[in-house]
Amino acid sequence: MSDSYVLIVVTSTSRASIRCTATLSAIAEVSWRVSDYPLRVRWSLAIAAPVIAARGCDPRELGGWDREGIARARGEEEISAHTEAWLKQLGATDRPSLMAWASERVHASRELAQVVAAMGWAAWVGWLSDEDALQAILLCGALAQRAYPSWDEFAFANDLAVSDAVRALWAELPWQTPLDLTILAPPANRRILRGTCGHCAAPRTRPSPSAYVYCDHCGELADYDFVTACSSPLAPGPVYEALRAEVAPALASAHAAGDRTAYREHQLRLIGGWADACPRVLPVRAKDPEYRARYLAWLAEAAVVIAFDEEARRREARMTEACQALVFVEVDGRPRVGAEPFRAVAAAMFEFEARCDELCTPAVYAMHPDGAARELQRRIGYSQFAQGWLPFLDEAEAIALLERTQLAGAYDVVDDVATRSWPCASCGGPLDLVAGANRVVCEHCGRLVTVT
């Protein structure tokens, strides 16, 4: 199964289904005013703007309440009662339970908007001082900047409903606003996916900078690291969604006319937009324009052969129907899908993937610019399906999915490996070479470089 699967399932079917089914709070009208907080504090508070605005409060203020205005008008006792009720909805009844709840989310860099809101509420009810709350809020801001490239991707990846007023606030605060905060964490054991290169049989010695694992000795694509892949969100954001809506009529017209050439051209445009929106999920070699062109052509060809096969379209339709039948429920504050309905989605996906495998063998598989083996290409497709759904599964279903797709690889703890630095012959960037390396992929320009 090719990488085009992410376009067919995760972004156009699965994510759309999630957005339509999940219940989002209505955003209340809020009164905006300029706060006296420093810029870095205002930026970090804005992380929680969708959550705070949904409560009818002012996202520019700590906890959403203006102490000199709203507090005086409504009374601090009434406001404290509201905030305590909101904290209880998170499962927090006191400072220790709040910190345990927040710590889990901070360490995983998830639900940071909710954490920022909760820190402000905790300051209002006296569980934290304003200074402690603001330090936690600044930390969340720094983590959000590190995990996401823009306000839009942050909102999309966290399923945050963004009103025009919130978007106007964000427009005043550039995403890369300096926060002057250094995050220090204890060093963790370095772990790498266990295995050897299928081309030169060299053992894996260093972690890969991306999910696509290139051999440190011969430079060939050797494996795909699902754990690393999960660190890069798949959601392409509103720019891609707008492009998809624009291209959809042209794709439908070309398909109705049986015009594969036109369909391929429109797919190339759509897949190029996805690649621009999600550069971190591409192979590092996609930085090389020649490789990128071949990579996108491979994806587009897979989309063409699938689109013009009636059986593949029937199976894809069954998968779409199974997705639309899902019902999302909230468990411990997070959306979940029922086990049985999701198994129907997974079963339909495996049937669809099996047909795609038949269609892509051998011509389309051979177009992969790395010459990746068929099984590796299929595993990459499985990975992108799993990435889209794992956040909505309970533990038993998640484990079952990883086992069936063979994504739960074994990892080894490794020590630092001695390397020598050498300039890339193409771009001049530094190459870190392990002993015995004869060809490597440059992480700066993406080109395959022979070591002389």
Side-chain angles (χ1 to χ4, degrees):
M1 180 63 198
S2 73
D3 277 314
S4 59
Y5 194 59
V6 70
L7 299 176
I8 299 167
V9 179
V10 176
T11 58
S12 65
T13 299
S14 305
R15 301 294 301 207
S17 175
I18 291 165
R19 289 197 301 273
C20 291
T21 311
T23 301
L24 300 176
S25 298
I27 301 298
E29 291 296 325
V30 295
S31 174
W32 303 95
R33 73 177 189 81
V34 177
S35 173
D36 295 329
Y37 289 121
L39 176 60
R40 66 192 191 120
V41 173
R42 285 189 280 125
W43 192 96
S44 299
L45 284 173
I47 289 289
V51 177
I52 295 294
R55 304 284 182 177
C57 297
D58 186 347
R60 298 176 185 253
E61 298 296 336
L62 185 65
W65 299 107
D66 168 18
R67 297 191 181 215
E68 297 303 319
I70 298 175
R72 183 178 300 165
R74 298 184 60 175
E76 294 199 15
E77 289 186 3
E78 179 185 345
I79 292 173
S80 294
H82 279 296
T83 53
E84 284 189 4
W86 296 339
L87 288 166
K88 286 180 180 178
Q89 290 175 6
L90 303 176
T93 56
D94 52 20
R95 178 185 172 120
S97 61
L98 170 69
M99 299 312 292
W101 172 87
S103 178
E104 177 186 351
R105 284 151 180 79
V106 166
H107 283 294
S109 292
R110 64 184 179 88
E111 295 186 26
L112 296 176
Q114 289 82 351
V115 174
V116 170
M119 291 298 113
W121 298 336
W124 262 98
V125 298
W127 295 356
L128 296 174
S129 67
D130 285 5
E131 182 178 349
D132 287 344
L134 290 174
Q135 286 298 318
I137 289 168
L138 284 170
L139 172 61
C140 288
L143 291 172
Q145 277 189 342
R146 188 168 68 175
Y148 303 97
S150 67
W151 285 114
D152 282 341
E153 288 214 24
F154 169 74
F156 190 85
N158 289 276
D159 287 327
L160 296 172
V162 183
S163 67
D164 290 342
V166 172
R167 197 168 295 282
L169 171 64
W170 283 354
E172 299 173 5
L173 303 166
W175 181 259
Q176 294 301 333
T177 295
L179 301 182
D180 300 325
L181 184 70
T182 301
I183 301 175
L184 299 176
N189 289 329
R190 288 165 20 111
R191 294 181 179 272
I192 58 172
L193 183 64
R194 183 185 303 162
T196 57
C197 175
H199 301 272
C200 70
R204 193 157 300 129
T205 56
R206 297 192 302 166
S208 172
S210 75
Y212 295 83
V213 181
Y214 288 92
C215 179
D216 288 327
H217 293 79
C218 70
E220 297 291 346
L221 181 63
D223 212 336
Y224 189 81
D225 190 335
F226 177 69
V227 172
T228 302
C230 289
S231 66
S232 297
L234 285 172
V239 174
Y240 168 79
E241 294 295 334
L243 174 63
R244 187 167 65 87
E246 178 185 341
V247 173
L251 283 171
S253 177
H255 186 272
D259 190 341
R260 292 185 175 229
T261 299
Y263 193 92
R264 185 179 295 107
E265 291 174 355
H266 295 311
Q267 275 291 347
L268 275 171
R269 183 185 174 199
L270 181 61
I271 294 170
W274 167 75
D276 291 339
C278 299
R280 289 178 293 175
V281 304
L282 301 178
V284 67
R285 290 194 62 193
K287 295 178 180 179
D288 176 0
E290 181 181 350
Y291 178 97
R292 176 188 169 95
R294 293 175 59 199
Y295 186 81
L296 299 187
W298 163 67
L299 291 174
E301 193 61 32
V304 170
V305 298
I306 292 167
F308 283 85
D309 180 78
E310 289 302 320
E311 179 59 24
R313 290 176 66 85
R314 280 193 291 270
R315 296 188 187 189
E316 183 182 10
R318 287 198 291 269
M319 182 173 59
T320 301
E321 290 174 3
C323 288
Q324 292 173 343
L326 289 173
V327 176
F328 286 76
V329 297
E330 188 171 302
V331 178
D332 295 331
R334 294 188 62 79
R336 292 284 187 269
V337 294
E340 287 300 327
F342 176 75
R343 288 171 196 163
V345 172
M349 183 278 293
F350 283 112
E351 289 181 2
F352 175 56
E353 194 279 338
R355 181 58 181 167
C356 294
D357 179 46
E358 294 172 0
L359 295 170
C360 291
T361 303
V364 177
Y365 281 133
M367 290 179 64
H368 193 287
D370 284 303
R374 164 177 166 262
E375 287 306 317
L376 177 54
Q377 293 187 43
R378 295 182 76 188
R379 192 143 55 86
I380 292 171
Y382 285 145
S383 172
Q384 293 170 339
F385 174 82
Q387 280 178 262
W389 284 108
L390 281 180
F392 305 96
L393 304 180
D394 62 31
E395 185 175 0
E397 288 302 313
I399 291 173
L401 178 61
L402 293 181
E403 288 179 349
R404 184 168 182 183
T405 54
Q406 298 182 342
L407 294 173
Y411 288 76
D412 291 329
V413 177
V414 295
D415 297 323
D416 288 334
V417 177
T419 62
R420 63 188 177 95
S421 183
W422 198 258
C424 171
S426 294
C427 70
L431 301 173
D432 291 327
L433 307 178
V434 300
N438 56 62
R439 196 167 62 160
V440 297
V441 173
C442 177
E443 297 176 11
H444 305 282
C445 68
R447 291 183 170 83
L448 199 57
V449 180
T450 300
V451 180
T452 56

